[in-house]
């Protein structure tokens, strides 16, 4: 059996932790100061630290204050799901939360593997996995609430799995589940995990993400 190792590298100059990057593409606000970008990246330059992660993750890291959050999965059927918090300045692991995939599926190159990017705010981080698991953790790694969307709304079946990342505002996290039958969008309370509304999705299969405009 092949083993995959993912290394996470941060290139920030300086790594002060003063700027948040709380969701996929920073919620569409993707401009950064030009003087904060390294001009050379290689094994010796432009890399502040690198850390070997548990399993494999296609999601993007998010940043809140001095913490970087990443999500991964591991196992022949993506049996185990992980949310890890790392110190922005050094890469030190602050905590790692492990949960069981409620809908195991073969771990392969052709199906998403921890693809949705999480969302962070002042209260903590919310992570979504293609098996339907949605979990909210505080900044210390304590579970605030969790949901199983497959249990609530049926199987998530799509040709290459689910790749839609989370969007958020101050009250809600928005989950877009594009699947072969009856796709949907949810607005879920960030406070307690309750569904505020559910609407029909746009199609059968897509890896795009919701965006507030």
């Amino acid at each position: 059996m092949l083993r995959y190792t993912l290394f996470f590298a941060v290139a920030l100059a300086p790594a002060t932790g003063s700027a948040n990057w709380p969701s996929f593409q920073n919620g569409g606000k993707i401009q950064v100061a030009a003087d904060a970008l390294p001009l050379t990246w290689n094994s010796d330059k432009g890399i502040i630290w690198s850390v070997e992660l548990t399993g494999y993750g296609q999601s993007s890291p998010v940043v809140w204050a001095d913490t970087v959050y990443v999500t991964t999965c591991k196992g022949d059927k993506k049996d185990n799901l992980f949310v890890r918090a790392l110190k922005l300045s050094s890469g030190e692991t602050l905590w790692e939360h492990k949960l069981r995939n409620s809908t195991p599926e073969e771990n392969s190159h052709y199906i998403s593997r921890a693809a949705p990017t999480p969302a962070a705010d002042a209260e903590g981080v919310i992570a979504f996995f293609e098996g339907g698991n949605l979990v909210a953790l505080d900044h210390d790694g304590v579970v605030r609430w969790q949901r199983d969307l497959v249990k609530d709304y049926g199987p998530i079946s799509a040709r290459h799995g689910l790749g839609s990342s989370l969007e958020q505002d101050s009250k809600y996290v928005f989950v877009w589940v594009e699947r072969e039958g009856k796709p949907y969008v949810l607005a879920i309370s960030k406070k307690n995990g309750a569904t505020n509304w559910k609407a029909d999705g746009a199609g059968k299969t897509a890896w795009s993400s919701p965006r507030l405009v």
Side-chain angles (χ1 to χ4, degrees):
M1 181 180 68
L2 294 175
R3 294 175 62 90
Y4 297 95
T5 303
L6 176 69
F7 289 89
F8 171 69
V10 173
L12 297 172
T16 61
S18 59
N20 298 323
W21 192 276
S23 61
F24 180 63
Q25 295 183 340
N26 197 29
K29 302 174 183 178
I30 58 176
Q31 291 183 335
V32 294
D35 58 1
L37 298 176
L39 298 179
T40 302
W41 289 0
N42 56 41
S43 59
D44 300 316
K45 297 179 180 180
I47 303 297
I48 295 176
W49 51 260
S50 65
V51 174
E52 185 175 355
L53 299 179
T54 304
Y56 186 97
Q58 293 170 296
S59 56
S60 298
V62 296
V63 178
W64 188 268
D66 60 350
T67 304
V68 178
Y69 295 102
V70 294
T71 59
T72 58
C73 64
K74 187 177 182 180
D76 293 340
K77 291 185 176 295
K78 298 182 287 189
D79 309 272
N80 298 308
L81 311 172
F82 300 89
V83 182
R84 183 185 290 197
L86 305 107
K87 192 172 183 179
L88 178 62
S89 59
S90 65
E92 174 191 354
T93 295
L94 302 174
W95 52 261
E96 184 172 70
H97 178 75
K98 175 183 176 181
L99 63 157
R100 295 289 293 178
N101 188 344
S102 60
T103 312
E105 186 176 8
E106 183 182 0
N107 193 339
S108 77
H109 290 294
Y110 302 102
I111 303 295
S112 55
R113 295 184 284 179
T117 295
D121 64 9
E123 302 302 319
V125 62
I126 301 173
F128 181 43
F129 295 90
E130 60 268 20
N133 298 85
L134 183 68
V135 59
L137 306 157
D138 67 18
H139 288 297
D140 293 319
V142 177
V143 175
R144 295 184 288 151
W145 53 262
Q146 52 188 331
R147 296 277 302 271
D148 179 351
L149 299 188
V150 169
K151 181 180 179 180
D152 294 340
Y153 302 114
I156 300 173
S157 178
R159 185 168 57 181
H160 293 295
L162 188 68
S164 179
S165 296
L166 299 177
E167 180 65 296
Q168 65 177 339
D169 63 13
S170 60
K171 293 183 178 180
Y172 304 107
V173 61
F174 301 94
V175 185
W176 187 7
V177 177
E178 288 299 293
R179 57 183 181 178
E180 293 175 359
K182 297 182 179 180
Y184 61 88
V185 182
L186 297 176
I188 293 178
S189 169
K190 295 165 73 173
K191 182 178 181 179
N192 57 23
T195 296
N196 182 56
W197 54 256
K198 178 176 179 286
D200 292 340
K204 291 185 177 181
T205 179
W207 270 45
S208 54
S209 297
R211 177 60 42 83
L212 289 173
V213 178

